[in-house]
Structure formats: C-alpha cells, structure tokens
C-alpha cells in the first residue's frame, strides 16, 4: 500500500503545478497524472458535466493501485469533490480549501482577490471556504475565461500573454486587496504576467504548496508514506507531444505521456 501511487487529476496541464510541489515535498511518492486535455477547458461547462467528467476520470485512475487522489483542478473540486469522496474509499483532496487557508495566512488587511474559471467563481466555493475559516474576510472575485486557453496553447510566455492577462484582470486593478488567490491550477504558469499587472505589493497564492503539505500530513498520519518512488505516469486525452512539452518544461523532466482514448473521450464538445 505505501508504495501505491497518488492519482492526480486536472482538465489539462494546470494540475502539473500541483504535481511539481508534491514531487518537491514528497520525493518518494509516485504520481499517476491524468490531464483531460481533449475536453479542456472545464471552466465554462455545467456543474453536472464537470461532475460526470470528473467521475469518469477517477474511474480510469482507480484501475491502478492508488492510495490517495488529488483533484488538482479548482473547477472539478468545486463541482465534484464531495461526489468523488463518496465514490472512493481512499483519501481525496481538493485544492480550494488549501488555497483558502494559504490566503488567510498571507493577508494582513483581510482583503483577498480570487481569480478562477467561470464555473469556480460562479460556485462561490472560495468565498464560502474563506468565510468559514475567517468570517471577516472581504473578497473580490473575477472569472478569467481567457487564461486557460492561453496556457493550454503554450503561449503563456509569449508577448501577447501580458496583454491578455492585463485585459482579463482590469476589474481588479486598484483594489485594496493584499493577496490574490490563483484559483485555477493553470494560473501559476502565468504568475509573472499576473504579478506585473496586479503589482508587487499583492501576494499571489497558488494552492499547490498547501495541497502538497496537506497530502504529506494525511500520508504521515495514515502511516502511508512511500519509501521509494517508481516510474511516474502521465495520461492525456489530448495531444501527447504538446502535453509532454508543456508539462515536461514546468517539471524540468522528460516525460512520455500515454494517450488515453476512452469511449467518453469522444464527447469532447
Ligand atoms: N485547471 C483548472 C482549474 O483549476 C481549470 C481549467 C479549465 O477550465 O478546464 O480550475
């Protein structure tokens, strides 16, 4: 059991930001990552559709011996975390609660911005979680639907990136917040553009670090820490070479993603 893998899931390449942090904090763990690139973005799909896609991917991952699952996608966490928890018997972590906790640790003036997909922002999941932990937090939320396609197309370091990010964040400029939650796991890949636009007085929060540390605590308390890692595996429903280049560059590793064409993957639109 201890050397079983951790299943990590995102709609695309964004969850790799969480994988990187898990590898840094828990280097003996083996990761089985699934990026549902063919059906990405999830962010403008209905809650039911995101829930259905998430459960399908989890069923695929459960064909392997896993000891925990990380839903490294805010959109899927908001839509389906509770359903996945009911569906499986191993620990399941989302990224919203860890992101909210990290933001509360960071803010000193109590004003927190949240950017995410349309589905995550409309769900109100961050506001609810932040206020449950700290009732006096003021939030400023904004959906940024142009940012995930920018990352998935590999253009996050291009000259247009700063311009697209600046346009997407216009409504947040000039607010008093001292902390901004990157409420989508794709956004850390745009962190330098986001920081330039929002100014260096605002601390950017990615849930990756806090999620990996929560995973570490769960594995430790459950006496489930691995002693040596085996080969990490990466699955994608999309183009493997594009996935290898984006995810490999972020991880600083050569990876060989495996193409998955499950019957459901045909329902791309
Ligand atoms: N990376 C995902 C998230 O954290 C979403 C991207 C998408 O819209 O598919 O919400």
């Amino acid at each position: 059991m201890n050397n079983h893998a951790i299943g990590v899931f995102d709609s695309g390449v964004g969850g790799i930001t969480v994988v990187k942090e898990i590898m840094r904090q828990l280097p003996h763990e083996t990761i089985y990552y699934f990026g549902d690139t063919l059906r990405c973005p999830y962010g403008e799909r209905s809650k039911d559709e995101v829930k259905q896609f998430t459960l399908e991917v989890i069923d695929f991952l459960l064909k392997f011996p896993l000891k925990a699952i990380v839903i490294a996608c805010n959109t899927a966490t908001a839509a389906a975390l509770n359903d996945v928890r009911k569906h499986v018997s191993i620990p399941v972590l989302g990224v919203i609660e860890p992101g909210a906790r990290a933001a509360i640790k960071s803010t000193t003036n109590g004003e927190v911005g949240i950017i995410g997909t349309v589905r995550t922002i409309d769900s109100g999941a961050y506001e609810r979680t932040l206020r449950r932990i700290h009732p006096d937090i003021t939030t400023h939320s904004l959906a940024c639907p142009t940012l995930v396609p920018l990352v998935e197309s590999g253009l996050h370091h291009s000259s247009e990136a700063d311009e697209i990010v600046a346009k997407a964040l216009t409504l947040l400029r000039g607010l008093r917040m001292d902390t901004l939650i990157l409420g989508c796991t794709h956004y850390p890949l745009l962190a330098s553009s986001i920081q330039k636009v929002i100014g260096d007085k605002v601390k950017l929060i990615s849930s990756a670090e806090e999620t990996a540390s929560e995973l570490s605590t769960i594995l430790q308390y459950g006496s489930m820490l691995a002693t040596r890692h085996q080969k990490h595996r990466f699955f994608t429903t999309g183009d493997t070479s594009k996935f290898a280049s984006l995810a490999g560059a972020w991880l600083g590793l050569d990876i060989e993603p495996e193409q998955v064409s499950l019957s459901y993957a045909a329902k791309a639109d």
Side-chain angles (χ1 to χ4, degrees), residues 146-174:
T146 51
L147 303 189
V148 168
L150 187 61
V151 172
E152 286 290 331
S153 55
L155 294 174
H156 47 291
H157 293 312
S158 69
S159 52
E160 304 107 282
D162 284 352
E163 219 173 288
I164 294 172
V165 169
K167 205 161 166 200
L169 300 186
T170 310
L171 293 175
L172 287 182
R173 290 169 87 167

Side-chain angles (χ1 to χ4, degrees), residues 10-12 14-15 40-44 72-76 95 117 120 148 183-186:
D10 180 43
S11 60
C40 184
Y42 279 14
E44 282 140 81
C73 174
N74 292 263
T75 310
V95 281
T117 66
T120 300
V148 168
C184 170
T185 52
H186 282 70

